[in-house]
Amino acid sequence: MDMIRALWAYRGFILGSVKREFQTKYRNSLLGAAWNIINPLSMIVVYTLIFSQLMKSRLPGVDSTYAFSIYLCTGILIWGLFAEITTRATGMFLEHANLLKKLSFPRLCLPVTVVSNAVLNFGIVFGLFTLFLLLSGNFPGWAFLALIPLLLLLVLFAIGIGITLGVLN
């Protein structure tokens, strides 16, 4: 409970860090934060056109023409979340070494910042993917809510592996 109070007390620090990292990520790119939308949108379009239209790939037992591209996009989006959290978590203590030396704050703020930033990026991408599912008529309905606990487990697993590997380095 003390950890939650400490995180709540430093919520401004966490939100400021997430905002700063999000802005820094796209600061020097030509289209800025639009890349966060263009990249996954182009991925969805390319996979849909190539696998469903050109290659006519189908999943066994599924009649939808978009099923294989949905299958691929889902895997890549989930893997992207896992990889971003794990990669960022391995170097977060070294990346913020100066901050750790100069300021007194709960160290748990750093993993929360990494996870928040990754979930923000994932939320944008997954929102576009959900829109694609709705527009293509392939939205799974109530089964979609099963993603929430699964994503929570994935995030906890990824941050655990990232911190472990980061400490071992």
Side-chain angles (χ1 to χ4, degrees):
M1 194 62 161
D2 290 335
M3 288 189 305
I4 295 173
R5 277 193 212 117
L7 288 175
W8 183 253
Y10 284 88
R11 67 188 178 277
F13 172 76
I14 294 169
L15 291 174
S17 296
V18 169
K19 182 180 175 184
R20 184 177 59 253
E21 286 183 22
F22 187 79
Q23 289 172 342
T24 303
K25 184 176 181 179
Y26 300 106
R27 181 174 292 149
N28 293 328
S29 65
L30 183 62
L31 296 176
W35 280 117
N36 213 12
I37 295 172
I38 294 170
N39 187 20
L41 192 60
S42 64
M43 178 189 69
I44 291 169
V45 168
V46 167
Y47 283 160
T48 301
L49 289 176
I50 290 176
F51 288 106
S52 67
Q53 303 302 321
L54 295 176
M55 294 178 66
K56 307 273 190 232
S57 298
R58 302 288 183 256
L59 285 178
V62 181
D63 294 332
S64 174
T65 57
Y66 300 116
F68 193 72
S69 64
I70 291 170
Y71 175 74
L72 284 177
C73 289
T74 304
I76 288 173
L77 293 178
I78 299 297
W79 172 254
L81 175 64
F82 177 81
E84 182 178 355
I85 291 173
T86 307
T87 304
R88 292 286 320 283
T90 56
M92 77 181 151
F93 294 117
L94 293 175
E95 183 181 324
H96 296 97
N98 289 334
L99 196 62
L100 289 168
K101 291 176 188 174
K102 294 177 183 175
L103 292 176
S104 175
F105 63 94
R107 303 305 184 240
L108 190 58
C109 289
L110 293 179
V112 169
T113 301
V114 166
V115 167
S116 299
N117 201 1
V119 168
L120 174 66
N121 291 332
F122 178 76
I124 294 169
V125 173
F126 200 71
L128 289 171
F129 183 67
T130 304
L131 184 65
F132 169 72
L133 290 176
L134 287 167
L135 293 176
S136 67
N138 290 297
F139 190 75
W142 287 105
F144 197 72
L145 293 177
L147 285 174
I148 296 169
L150 293 174
L151 287 174
L152 180 63
L153 285 173
L154 177 87
V155 166
L156 292 173
F157 182 63
I159 196 67
I161 286 180
I163 290 173
T164 303
L165 292 175
V167 171
L168 293 177
N169 271 342

